[in-house]
C-alpha cells in the first residue's frame, strides 16, 4: 500500500472511526481487491490508537465482507457482492423508525407464522407453548421478558422449517431488536397493553397448533399492527425516557451475516 492513514481525532468511538476510514478507502477503490492491509501494529501507529481498537475495527470490516483473513499471511481486501444494510443514526433512533420497523416485522413474521402452522410437528407445538409460558414466568418474576420473547419467536421460526427465511430474519434481528425493546418497555408501563400482548401471543399459538395457516398469518399480522398502535399511543414521557433510550439501540448492533436469535415482539 502506497499511502498511510492520518491519525484519527478524539470524539466518537475510536473503532468506529478506524473502521469507517478503512471502509471508505475500500469502497472508493483506493484499497483494491486482493491488496494486503498493513499489519495491526502499523495501522495502530498510523491511526494513533491501540492495537485493540484496530483489531475491533478490522473485525467489523470482516463481518461486513470487506476484508478476508488468510492463515499466516494477514488481512486482505475483499469486494462484497452487496452493500451492507445500514441505517442513519439520526433517523433510526426515533418513534417513526420504530413504527416503520414494526411494519417490516409484520410482513416477515406473518409469513413465518403461516409456514409454521403448515409444517409444525407436535414437538414444535410443545416447544412453542413452553416458550410462551416462559415469557409469563419471566414477567411474573419481575423481568422484562425480552430474552424469553426472543426464544418464543425463534421457536416459531424453527417450526416454519425454511432455513433461508430463518437466516434472513436472523440477519435483520440485529436491527429489529431495538424496536422490540421499545415495544416491550412501553407495554410494561400499561397493564392493559400487557394483557393484550398475552392474548395476541395465545391466539398465534392456537392457530399454529390448529394447523390453520390463514389464521396464523392473520394473528401474527394483527399482533404487529397492535404493537404499532401501542407505540403510537405511548405518552410523551415514555419517549423522553425508556423509549428514546431503547430506540437508540436500533443502530447499536453492527451488521453481521448471521445473528443468533429472531427478534422478539
Amino acid at each position: 500500500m502506497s499511502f498511510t492513514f492520518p491519525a484519527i481525532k478524539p470524539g466518537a468511538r475510536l473503532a468506529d472511526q478506524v473502521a469507517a476510514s478503512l471502509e471508505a478507502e475500500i469502497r472508493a477503490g483506493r484499497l483494491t481487491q486482493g491488496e494486503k492491509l498493513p499489519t495491526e501494529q502499523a495501522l495502530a501507529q498510523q491511526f494513533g490508537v491501540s492495537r485493540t481498537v484496530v483489531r475491533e475495527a478490522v473485525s467489523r470490516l470482516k463481518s461486513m465482507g470487506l476484508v478476508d483473513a488468510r492463515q499466516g499471511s494477514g488481512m486482505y481486501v475483499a469486494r462484497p457482492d452487496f452493500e451492507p444494510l445500514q441505517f442513519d443514526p439520526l433517523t433510526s433512533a426515533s418513534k417513526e423508525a420504530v413504527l416503520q420497523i414494526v411494519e417490516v416485522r409484520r410482513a416477515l413474521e406473518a409469513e413465518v407464522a403461516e409456514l409454521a402452522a403448515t409444517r409444525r410437528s407436535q414437538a414444535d407445538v410443545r416447544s412453542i407453548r413452553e416458550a410462551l409460558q416462559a415469557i409469563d414466568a419471566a414477567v411474573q418474576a419481575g423481568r422484562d421478558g425480552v430474552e424469553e420473547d426472543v426464544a418464543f419467536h425463534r421457536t416459531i421460526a424453527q417450526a416454519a422449517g425454511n432455513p433461508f427465511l430463518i437466516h434472513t430474519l436472523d440477519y435483520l434481528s440485529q436491527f429489529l431488536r431495538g424496536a422490540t425493546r421499545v415495544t416491550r418497555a412501553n407495554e410494561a408501563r400499561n397493564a392493559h397493553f400487557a394483557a393484550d400482548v398475552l392474548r395476541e401471543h395465545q391466539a398465534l399459538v392456537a392457530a399454529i397448533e390448529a394447523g390453520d395457516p390463514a389464521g396464523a398469518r392473520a394473528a401474527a399480522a394483527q399482533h404487529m399492527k397492535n404493537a404499532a398502535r401501542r407505540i403510537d399511543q405511548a405518552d410523551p414521557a415514555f419517549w423522553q425516557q425508556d423509549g428514546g433510550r431503547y430506540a437508540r439501540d436500533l443502530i447499536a448492533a453492527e451488521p453481521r451475516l448471521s445473528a443468533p436469535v429472531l427478534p422478539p415482539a
Side-chain angles (χ1 to χ4, degrees):
M1 193 168 65
S2 60
F3 64 92
T4 58
F5 293 94
I8 61 176
K9 300 177 180 179
R13 292 188 62 219
L14 299 181
D16 290 343
Q17 295 186 62
V18 172
S21 181
L22 289 168
E23 180 183 356
E25 297 303 317
I26 293 172
R27 295 200 182 281
R30 290 185 288 272
L31 285 174
T32 59
Q33 183 176 7
E35 185 171 357
K36 183 179 180 180
L37 290 183
T39 65
E40 191 177 276
Q41 182 175 355
L43 287 173
Q45 292 175 344
Q46 291 178 30
F47 284 112
V49 297
S50 69
R51 293 178 64 175
T52 300
V53 169
V54 170
R55 193 175 304 122
E56 181 181 347
V58 172
S59 176
R60 190 166 307 168
L61 295 179
K62 184 178 178 182
S63 72
M64 295 167 65
L66 292 174
V67 297
D68 288 325
R70 298 183 187 176
Q71 185 67 32
S73 180
M75 302 297 300
Y76 290 79
V77 175
R79 299 291 287 181
D81 294 329
F82 59 90
E83 292 288 324
L85 180 61
Q86 295 177 332
F87 297 116
D88 180 352
L90 295 179
T91 59
S92 295
S94 67
K95 175 181 177 180
E96 290 72 21
V98 173
L99 291 171
Q100 289 165 355
I101 289 176
V102 170
E103 290 177 355
V104 173
R105 291 195 60 199
R106 185 174 70 211
L108 293 172
E109 295 194 25
E111 183 69 18
V112 167
E114 179 176 339
L115 291 173
T118 301
R119 301 170 177 172
R120 89 285 181 272
S121 66
Q122 288 304 309
D124 289 328
V125 171
R126 287 194 297 271
S127 295
I128 292 170
R129 285 209 167 274
E130 289 171 1
L132 179 60
Q133 292 169 1
I135 298 175
D136 183 60
V139 173
Q140 294 299 322
R143 302 195 302 275
D144 61 12
V146 169
E147 295 307 318
E148 290 76 15
D149 211 327
V150 167
F152 172 67
H153 283 272
R154 178 64 180 180
T155 304
I156 293 175
Q158 289 172 333
N162 184 328
F164 294 100
L165 181 57
I166 292 172
H167 287 318
T168 298
L169 288 166
D170 282 348
Y171 175 73
L172 291 175
S173 72
Q174 57 203 303
F175 304 107
L176 304 181
R177 193 179 187 89
T180 299
R181 290 193 177 279
V182 172
T183 61
R184 288 203 67 88
N186 178 49
E187 290 156 2
R189 295 163 63 98
N190 187 310
H192 178 65
F193 283 174
D196 287 344
V197 172
L198 176 59
R199 282 193 294 270
E200 291 161 21
H201 279 166
Q202 290 172 334
L204 174 57
V205 173
I208 292 173
E209 183 173 12
D212 179 3
R217 172 179 281 275
Q222 190 61 52
H223 178 40
M224 289 295 100
K225 288 181 181 178
N226 291 343
R229 174 182 54 79
R230 288 186 286 265
I231 284 295
D232 202 41
Q233 293 176 353
D235 61 87
F238 171 73
W239 287 102
Q240 295 171 5
Q241 300 170 9
D242 290 343
R245 176 162 55 88
Y246 288 133
R248 287 190 288 275
D249 288 345
L250 290 170
I251 46 93
E254 290 300 320
R256 296 186 301 276
L257 292 182
S258 64
V261 294
L262 187 71

